[in-house]
Amino acid sequence: MGSKKVKSAWDKLRMSEKECQAMTEYLSFLSKGKTERESWQIIEGWARKAGFVSLDEVKLFGSGQKVCLEVRDKAGILAIGGLRPLSEGFRLIVTHIDAPRLDLKQRPLYEEEGLAFFKTHYYGGIKKYQWTALPLALHGIVILRDGQRVEIVIGEEEEEPIFTICDLLPHLAKDQNNKKLREAISGEGLNLLLGHNPSTGESEEERVKSSILILLKETYGIEEDDFVSAELEVVPAGKARYAGLDRSFIAGYGQDDRICSFAAWKALEKIKEPEWTTIVVFADKEEIGSDSNTGMKARFLENFIAELITLQNGSYDGLMVRRAMARAKALSADVTGGYDPNYAEVMDKLNSAYLGRGLVISKYTGSGGKYETSDANPEFVAEVRRILDDAKITWQTAELGKVDQGGGGTIAQYMAIYGMEVLDCGVGILSMHSPWEISSVADLVMMMRGYHAFLGYRG
Ligand code: MN
Ligand code: MN
């Protein structure tokens, strides 16, 4: 401390050509993968190209075999067989590909005083005021009653319209300005502006709504009732890009946790004939507590391991599955709040994640007296330290904010249930959970290298 020069991941970073290329790929991944479905589709595309084969097409699971499992189109698992039998354990990185956003309600459409809107229900931890007066896009799917699937993306291409949620003009915001920040914009107030042209409407009343319904039918073949079986997500419109005069930041929506998903994929892509079977999970529903059958509280990872063990042994052996799970070593790959000098009062300087100082490990997350977390065992923390140091990774340790300032959990606790060793490991993000999150290029490079070192570590 004191006079000691602060370690920066930028010093001696020396990005390889492939790593520079990866930054461009990352920007494109963020720009195109704005929902869990879109993100998984992109990841699965990469995996297929790299030789991963769907689990139901695999006959044997041995060393070097690449297997892919899709979970309900919204999550997935990629695995590469190790030299050792799976029952001895495996190396695992778990990330999530869902992000805070606004979902359309199942009956979203209404008209009031000649303006048509979509009602929304926010998903995950958002600050509601951040979602007004900015360009928004609509991404998602509608499943018609007969099962037919309609995919929708509106607001990303230049020629497409965007959407917005209107804020109140400052001239009339006297009462609003006196409200608490979290009450100034209400959940029911997050309504998406859709249109105001009544001229094609067929009904006497609510002609704008009628016009919108005709437009939806003509363009997408969907009717008002079809929203009942739809998952339509309102996300910030536009592309991710570099930020800052020195281009040292990446700005984009959904970096929590797609930055870790991307880094984990990049790490896995480079793995060849690993000693331990290496697995990366891309989970859904983390932002709302990991429930649902695509979240980490569901058993798809366990079932996947059971399938692989069965392929490896020729028959199902429940004990081997349990052993494999309990002997696994895992990173819960998620982002954490980066230290922001503008909000210094909520951070403990000694235990904060600083942008540009590399990969972040967090022994525990949670809140209050370490509630709702997996507190990693020091033996495993030491092992990860060794792996990172041996691979010359710049890393730091952090917890999320000051004690009793708030907090938040990750997926780690749902992996710990199986007995596996698990440590939270990601990068710091500024403006986390906002429509425009900020990450560090150097940290992302360190994360790709660090995850690779962890997955490929022998011994
Ligand atoms: Mn996260
Ligand atoms: Mn989050």
Side-chain angles (χ1 to χ4, degrees), residues 96 256-257 286-287 334-335:
H96 68 92
D256 173 6
D257 184 35
E286 192 276 344
E287 296 293 356
D334 209 344
V335 300

Side-chain angles (χ1 to χ4, degrees), residues 198-224:
S199 63
T200 55
E202 284 169 350
S203 58
E204 285 295 312
E205 284 163 31
E206 298 195 322
R207 286 169 60 214
V208 178
K209 179 180 167 182
S210 170
S211 302
I212 294 284
L213 282 171
I214 290 166
L215 192 68
L216 285 170
K217 183 73 185 168
E218 281 173 357
T219 320
Y220 302 101
I222 58 177
E223 291 169 8
E224 190 168 15

Side-chain angles (χ1 to χ4, degrees), residues 336-349:
T336 185
Y339 183 89
D340 186 337
N342 295 299
Y343 303 101
E345 64 279 6
V346 302
M347 293 292 192
D348 167 18
K349 274 195 174 184

Side-chain angles (χ1 to χ4, degrees), residues 56-358:
D56 32 82
E57 294 164 35
V58 176
K59 298 277 178 287
L60 274 169
F61 183 66
S63 172
Q65 177 80 46
K66 295 174 172 178
V67 185
C68 161
L69 176 80
E70 179 177 282
V71 182
R72 308 246 172 225
D73 211 24
K74 297 190 233 183
I77 308 178
L78 301 177
I80 304 178
L83 297 164
R84 292 177 187 246
L86 191 51
S87 56
E88 288 184 21
F90 52 94
R91 291 284 158 89
L92 171 68
I93 295 181
V94 177
T95 81
H96 68 92
I97 48 178
D98 62 320
R101 60 181 188 250
L102 309 176
D103 286 341
L104 289 202
K105 291 196 185 193
Q106 294 342 112
R107 292 196 65 188
L109 181 61
Y110 73 98
E111 172 180 347
E112 217 167 299
E113 302 304 334
L115 298 174
F117 297 92
F118 272 155
K119 293 174 79 71
T120 69
H121 193 136
Y122 66 94
Y123 172 102
I126 64 160
K127 289 164 96 178
K128 298 183 191 86
Y129 71 86
Q130 291 177 342
W131 289 77
T132 63
L134 82 162
L136 297 167
L138 190 64
H139 291 231
I141 62 160
V142 182
I143 307 294
L144 307 185
R145 203 179 2 218
D146 64 2
Q148 200 190 315
R149 173 193 166 112
V150 181
E151 293 192 18
I152 291 178
V153 180
I154 312 168
E156 299 294 354
E157 300 301 329
E158 287 285 319
E159 67 276 10
E160 289 172 354
I162 51 101
F163 302 93
T164 194
I165 293 167
C166 298
D167 201 352
L168 183 58
L169 62 168
H171 313 66
L172 298 177
K174 187 166 134 299
D175 290 348
Q176 189 195 41
N177 283 337
N178 287 329
K179 284 183 182 170
K180 283 184 181 151
L181 201 56
R182 78 184 146 84
E183 289 158 8
I185 304 286
S186 70
E188 287 293 345
L190 292 172
N191 300 313
L192 206 64
L193 187 64
L194 280 185
H196 78 301
N197 180 352
S199 63
T200 55
E202 284 169 350
S203 58
E204 285 295 312
E205 284 163 31
E206 298 195 322
R207 286 169 60 214
V208 178
K209 179 180 167 182
S210 170
S211 302
I212 294 284
L213 282 171
I214 290 166
L215 192 68
L216 285 170
K217 183 73 185 168
E218 281 173 357
T219 320
Y220 302 101
I222 58 177
E223 291 169 8
E224 190 168 15
D225 285 348
D226 294 327
F227 286 109
V228 170
S229 47
E231 274 186 356
L232 291 165
E233 305 178 9
V234 179
V235 296
K239 290 181 172 148
R241 55 200 300 178
Y242 286 108
L245 205 55
D246 62 0
R247 304 165 66 92
S248 59
F249 302 105
I250 289 166
Y253 166 70
Q255 300 200 66
D256 173 6
D257 184 35
R258 295 183 189 125
I259 193 166
C260 297
S261 309
F262 180 80
W265 160 251
K266 278 288 154 194
L268 186 71
E269 190 187 25
K270 279 173 65 184
I271 296 287
K272 295 208 172 62
E273 294 198 345
E275 179 174 359
W276 305 87
T277 293
T278 58
I279 300 180
V280 178
V281 175
F282 305 90
D284 180 29
K285 296 287 185 281
E286 192 276 344
E287 296 293 356
I288 58 167
S290 295
D291 294 296
S292 306
N293 63 4
T294 52
M296 278 310 280
K297 282 188 195 165
R299 299 278 165 81
F300 58 83
L301 174 62
E302 187 184 339
N303 292 344
F304 180 70
I305 297 299
E307 297 277 3
L308 295 185
I309 291 269
T310 305
L311 284 170
Q312 214 158 60
N313 294 7
S315 65
Y316 172 71
D317 187 333
L319 182 60
M320 290 302 157
V321 176
R322 290 183 196 213
R323 281 185 182 161
M325 295 296 280
R327 289 167 175 171
K329 289 181 178 173
L331 296 181
S332 164
D334 209 344
V335 300
T336 185
Y339 183 89
D340 186 337
N342 295 299
Y343 303 101
E345 64 279 6
V346 302
M347 293 292 192
D348 167 18
K349 274 195 174 184
L350 213 51
N351 292 281
S352 287
Y354 294 89
L355 262 75
R357 296 189 195 166

